[in-house]
Amino acid sequence: MLRRPKPTDSESDLLRQQETFLTSGDPSAASVIRRPDKRRGEAGGGGGGGGGDLNKENGGIQRDMVTIEDLPDQLPSLTPAPPKKSRFKANRVSFEDEGPEDRLDREDTHISAVLCRIVERDTSSASISLPAFTGTAFPKVLHRSATSSQVPLPSAGGKKSIFARQIAAQRLMEGKTPLHSTPEAARKHKHREQNLPPETSMDTDQLTTVSRPRLVSGQGLMGPGSSEDTMRIHRENQAKIKAMSQSEILEEQKKLLSQLDPRLVDFVRSRRAQSVPSSASSSKHPQGKSSEENLPLKNRSTESDSSGAAVLFQKPQEVDMEEEEEEVSPPPAMMEKDLPVKPQKEWVHMDKLEPEKLEWMRDLPAPRRKGTKHAMQARFDFNGTLIPPTEDLPTHLGLHHHGEEPELAGYSLQELFLLSRSQIFQQRSLALSTLANILSKARAGKYVSHLKGSVMSTLLDAGLLFLLRFALDDSVEGVMSAAVSALKALLVCAEDEECLDSTFSWFRGLASFPLLPSAQEEEDEEDEVLDEIMKETAKEKEEKKSDHDVARQDVVKGLLKMKLLPRLRYILEVVRPSPRVVQDVLEVLTRIARHSSSSATQVLNCPRLMETVMSEFLPTSWTAPSLPLPQSVYGLPLAVAMKLLRVLATSGRHACARLLNSLAVTERLFCLLSAEPSELLLEAAEALSITTEAYRLWAVAAGYGQACKLYIDLYPALMKALQSVHRVLGPSDPLLPLQLQRVLALLSLLTQVTHTAGCHQELQAGVVSSQGDECPPPPPVSWGHVTGLQSSLLGHFKGFVKSLDNPVQKNSSLTLIPVYLLYLEAYYHQLSRQNCFKPVETLQELELLTSELLLPLLSHDVVQDLIKNLKSSSVVCNVQSGHLGPEIIPSLPGLACAGWRDRPGPVVSSSPVPLLTGLGLLLETITGIHKGLSCKFTGLLLSEPVITYLRSCSQATPTLSHTRAWLLRHEHHLLYLLLRLAHRLVPVEPEVAKHAPLYHQVALVLLPWLLPGSEYLAHELLSTIIFSKDFISEGHSGGPEAVELGELKLHEETHHHASPSLQTVGALLRDACAQLPSIRGCFLTHLAHLESSMLLSRDALLGRNPWINSHLLPELTGPALPSDWPFLPLVSLYERTGVSGGGGLATEELPQGALGAVIHCLQWLLLLEVWREEALKVILPVAKLARLSCVFLSSSDLFLERPVQKLTWGLFRLLTRRSRLDSLDLNVPPPGLASFQDLYSALLAQYEAVSFGDRLFGCWVLLPLQRRYSATMRLAVFGEHVGMLRSLGVTLEQLSIPIERFTSPPEDSLPLLRLYFRSLVTGVLKPCWCPVLYIVVLSHVNSFIFSQDAAAQEVEAARHTMLRKIYYLTDEVLKNHLLLFRLPQPSSDVGFDMYEQLPPIRAKRLEKVVGLQDSSDDKGD
């Protein structure tokens, strides 16, 4: 075997080893190939063997290169880089048919562009130095060994060869100056260098590098070809500058800069900025370091900003920092004694110390506080912790590297991305693990207060998803495991899952919203013109999108499109990774299943994926692990695998049936639940967790009416588990939280089984009566199978109520009591529907339950203290929370539960929401059976915490998002149940009836808050409370009369005599209260399209389990009802019969019943505007005006109907009150419309066509013409629809809007003023036809012609022209109105005041303008 050469080998030894290697014939480690030169037309070259022949053929010219296999020339890029573009090329104009010769002729038009007059340089005054005389015939040979000590080191400003440095050293020794300068010039140069400041001194070898402008110093003016005039001018300039003060110099400098091109100034400054540091760096910076390391932090941040997408910046520190860094003395140069290894004399070329090459061996300088307040690039350690930029960390931590800022510890995101593509798998694994830690902390919101921008968004935009997907395919298991960990950190939030698990036992807690991103409407103009058959389906469009486009909108969909599921199956089935990786993979699959029902179906359909999970992680038999933490979890049941099955079952009854039957989940449930957790041959915590998840999965299946046969088989085991509830809940048990969760899951299962058993009788009757029609089969469990549970669970309930007095057991009891309440509600709700129901016995039983359990529970001090936290625990009331939530990005929605234990909310132990919800459900059921029990719970509704909570809810405006919807749903249930209790108590309890307006207000605001899946609650509110006379107490307690008295007082104060009078509003309200049942029927009819959703919601909320298709709630696209639902009859009528595209009505006659629906809608709106104004605050005033405009646009004569006229007049008066006019902003587009101007154009066309001069329609048209609104609408009236001015006869009294809102401030639109003037002089606008606009136009034209404000020449000419035309008008009345107009005055006969004669200033202006015209006419004559 050949040995490696040693440092002690001589040249003959190396030659001998070479001969030995060549004779052995072994292949070489590297091959020498010749790359063909394509410019010479050469073909592909051969390998090393043929290199000699090719070398001879090409004259010995050969390019040799060493290649290493599998080494790419460039690093792979995650996202394609954009093509480089030239800024100068974009400014050039070129044509396709233009050749290079044409372009040359066009740009260089003459030969003088290339050749010009050549003038030789004048060398008459140049000095000539003769060569030095020596005694030798040839110059002495310079040897490096003999002259190295004499050669001076080169300056920092440039490089010199050794020969040039030797010549310079000889000349310095001889006392001579350089060849290219005279002795006089050398003295001047030396003198000038001595006079310069130290930091701007110049090197002797760099005469061209100066530290100040040559125009000031005069350098270069005495060169060849210069004249005396040049120096004379220079001296004069210097004298002038010396005579000027500093302020004068600065002023002249500003004046000069203002005259120059800014781009030229920036260019000169940049050139100077580049030259000055280069000349000063040699004296300030240590040799061998680039000046970039000493740049201010601001410049460095700017450079790093453009380096890549995966860059975040730390926010500037709050402390004040100096603008300049402290001067730090440069470290001394590296000496031989500082070297860790001393050089030996035998080492080739190591006898000379080169300090500049040894600088990298120094210790890094300590980080200093930089002189800037600008943001810095964020750097992280391996745990994902943000490293402060001033922290000095030791180098042994491994956080320093050869990056852009080697003195700073930590890795930026860009550097981690680069490291993740390293050829060394340890570096790839380290980078991915660090990214996983950063993602975990970002999801928890750790960086929100320290970083600008979002870490998650930055990483996803930089291509993190593709990076992780590529890393999953890595052949190294460590890298693959790190990629799985990073993927889990990206998708899964452990605290979100904990919150969902903790609310599983709540009312409808097993249901959840799909975690789909908000739907983004894509404009597809091409599909609009295609037929329905030719339009692409959503699935086809999705398939055509690239992976990047899909992932940008939806991360989970993007991963599924990248074939993530088959890869995860391969990892589980073939790689068989460590327990932590298995846990991460199963959690990722659970998050994918939560995304949507289609994603869950893809998980189920992935080949061999679920089979692998079932066989490896949910086996039917296993052996006990030998270690508490086994090295492999294959062959052991895992709780996280059972949870995956539970989430998959939640997606739909068909998926649940596949799990139970095809994948033999029923056998697993039987195996796990037939024995005690201590008998499962598992670690205690894991055994409790997996049995808890098994109960939850069973509860989900029972929620569909499935797996009920298992209840009969496992009944003894369930009874045994129930009997041991008090025993296992010992306060000293370290596993008490897990035991509590297991008991909660067991009770949830029994509740669902009770609901399913209660439907057996109805389904059995349905099968008999259906006679072959589709009907769900009755479940195997009947009511007789579950009646025995009630006595046992009721005994448990009594025990936990008593244990509230024990401080040790108080928290456990408060956790379990809500679930017992839910079970009792399910039992009594289903009992009342059975044939075996015995009313008398049940009523006695309910009275006993109320007196012995419910009332003592409600009055207990612990419960009362809990209720006091109702408002602080509310999500509805606490919209503006000071908590900085975690990072949530639109393409990856989450629940934002990070840190939920540290802040108040419905899920924490101090929240009364689950207890009050369970109690409210039970009260709703038992008071429905026993009406007399409702009065015993009056204290709950009248308690101060509940009243305060309801008042806060009536004024709240909660926002809707995934982060809040899952909690808002539970709080909506609580509010609904409180209102249902109020509905039973208001008619019978006077004290409760006093708060009826509050309950009605809460019901009105709750209705548009209800989320998809709660349509049944909306239907019940509309049917019972919303239109109930008992809750609108103003209708029968003098409310209409109070309104009439208020209107009379308003009339007396304003002396208005409107027609129709405002006094009609009181009578209209009285009629509306009498028509409330009809109004309710009208709205329920218009909401009939929600019937199918309402029925599905009813089945889920009432426990009709066999009819439930999915526990996955509908997609969260918005509330179940629109916020403007009170306008629904009007909007639906407009959509059916409104203005068509041609401008005419789609139908001439109203549909049957449309008039009554419009009247009922207007009555309800009037009632809300007067007595429930707060309930409509979510609707913008401009939206109200737009919706009410449908009265005029839906038909040609609907607005002429007398009831519609009265109601619309009343609403118009309310909308135009002084307090409302300021909030009416027509510049904001109403929801559902592009702009209000489009709607107004339709109104104008309709007014011209069918108004017949109607005063109500006229007021509606005049309202948008106020001065504060856009001039576009006024231009439309006086330009396109000027004919309507003849019939717009609304008076000032009828308008009820102050005329000052139309006349102030003066109009500044010149085209509009010209239209105003033209409408007056042509007689289109007359006071008898359109009194309001006549006054408005007079005011604006008068202000314009007599305005003294400076204006453009065009405006001033228009003023003169108008004034002259007015002066020569033949209509004296119009002339006097235009010239003598003073102010609008509604009490005057004409509507405005006039001057008796022109004021002197105006008369003088008129005389001046008219005099100028007369003089010009005389000159013309």
Side-chain angles (χ1 to χ4, degrees), residues 127-140:
S127 59
I128 300 174
S129 300
L130 297 175
F133 293 98
T134 61
T136 58
F138 297 97
K140 183 181 179 181

Side-chain angles (χ1 to χ4, degrees), residues 976-1217:
Y976 168 77
L977 294 169
L978 290 175
L979 292 175
R980 289 291 296 175
L981 182 60
H983 177 251
R984 299 189 186 279
L985 290 175
V986 165
V988 297
E989 285 292 331
E991 289 298 321
V992 179
K994 292 179 181 178
H995 299 281
L998 173 62
Y999 303 137
H1000 192 241
Q1001 178 79 16
V1002 173
L1004 286 171
V1005 299
L1006 174 62
L1007 189 62
W1009 292 350
L1010 293 175
L1011 302 175
S1014 301
E1015 290 84 1
Y1016 176 70
L1017 304 184
H1019 179 268
E1020 289 299 300
L1021 288 176
L1022 289 169
S1023 303
T1024 56
I1025 298 177
I1026 298 294
F1027 300 102
S1028 173
K1029 296 180 180 179
D1030 297 328
F1031 285 86
I1032 307 177
S1033 57
E1034 296 87 349
H1036 51 79
S1037 61
E1041 290 77 10
V1043 173
E1044 289 176 346
L1045 289 175
E1047 293 167 351
L1048 286 174
K1049 184 178 179 181
L1050 178 64
H1051 276 283
E1052 292 175 359
E1053 293 176 355
T1054 57
H1055 303 288
H1056 276 188
H1057 301 284
S1059 178
S1061 172
L1062 274 175
Q1063 299 172 12
T1064 58
V1065 173
L1068 294 174
L1069 289 172
R1070 199 177 295 109
D1071 295 339
C1073 292
Q1075 295 292 328
L1076 280 175
S1078 301
I1079 295 173
R1080 176 180 57 196
C1082 170
F1083 277 92
L1084 288 176
T1085 302
H1086 280 84
L1087 291 171
H1089 63 281
L1090 297 175
E1091 182 180 4
S1092 59
S1093 301
M1094 189 274 295
L1095 293 177
L1096 293 175
S1097 173
R1098 182 198 62 181
D1099 294 339
L1101 293 170
L1102 296 184
R1104 295 166 55 85
N1105 290 348
W1107 287 272
I1108 297 175
N1109 289 322
S1110 175
H1111 293 307
L1112 205 61
L1113 295 170
E1115 184 180 350
L1116 190 63
T1117 56
L1121 288 181
S1123 59
D1124 60 348
W1125 67 269
F1127 297 89
L1128 190 59
L1130 276 178
V1131 176
S1132 61
L1133 177 63
Y1134 171 74
E1135 290 175 349
R1136 283 188 293 165
T1137 64
V1139 176
S1140 62
L1145 292 175
T1147 59
E1148 291 295 335
E1149 296 182 1
L1150 286 174
Q1152 187 177 3
L1155 178 60
V1158 170
I1159 292 174
H1160 291 326
C1161 178
L1162 295 176
Q1163 286 176 332
W1164 180 241
L1165 290 171
L1166 185 68
L1167 189 147
L1168 292 180
E1169 284 289 345
V1170 176
W1171 290 329
R1172 298 291 182 266
E1173 185 180 349
E1174 284 294 319
L1176 294 178
K1177 67 179 182 180
V1178 294
I1179 308 175
L1180 294 175
V1182 64
K1184 295 179 183 178
L1185 187 66
R1187 269 59 174 170
L1188 286 174
S1189 299
C1190 297
V1191 172
F1192 305 100
L1193 297 175
S1194 298
S1195 172
S1196 59
D1197 56 355
L1198 176 63
F1199 61 92
L1200 297 176
E1201 298 289 341
R1202 187 163 183 79
V1204 176
Q1205 277 261 334
K1206 289 183 177 181
L1207 291 166
T1208 312
W1209 266 118
L1211 289 168
F1212 180 77
R1213 302 295 183 192
L1214 293 172
L1215 288 176
T1216 56
R1217 284 175 292 180

Side-chain angles (χ1 to χ4, degrees), residues 419-433 474-480 482:
L419 197 64
S420 66
R421 294 175 287 175
S422 170
Q423 294 292 331
I424 303 174
F425 72 88
Q426 292 93 340
Q427 292 182 346
R428 299 199 302 272
S429 177
L430 182 66
L432 291 170
S433 301
D474 202 297
S475 58
V476 180
E477 184 176 348
V479 178
M480 182 202 62

Side-chain angles (χ1 to χ4, degrees), residues 653-667 706-707:
R653 64 164 45 248
H654 298 293
C656 184
R658 286 181 61 182
L659 291 173
L660 293 174
N661 302 321
S662 302
L663 296 176
V665 172
T666 307
E667 298 177 12
Q706 300 173 356

Side-chain angles (χ1 to χ4, degrees), residues 537-609:
T537 63
K539 185 177 181 180
E540 292 173 347
K541 291 181 181 178
E542 195 77 24
E543 291 175 353
K544 286 186 176 181
K545 289 182 180 178
S546 64
D547 295 351
H548 173 71
D549 293 335
V550 175
R552 187 164 46 87
Q553 296 178 359
D554 192 332
V555 170
V556 175
K557 271 189 179 180
L559 287 170
L560 292 175
K561 191 174 175 63
M562 293 183 222
K563 308 297 182 184
L564 175 69
L565 294 178
R567 184 59 187 175
L568 294 181
R569 190 269 312 159
Y570 175 83
I571 293 173
L572 292 178
E573 184 182 23
V574 179
V575 180
R576 302 174 71 88
S578 63
R580 183 185 64 82
V581 179
V582 171
Q583 181 96 2
D584 291 347
V585 170
L586 294 175
E587 289 183 4
V588 168
L589 291 173
T590 304
R591 174 61 181 83
I592 293 174
R594 286 197 187 278
H595 175 264
S596 61
S597 58
S598 63
S599 300
T601 304
Q602 291 187 54
V603 174
L604 282 172
N605 292 337
C606 181
R608 301 200 309 278
L609 175 59

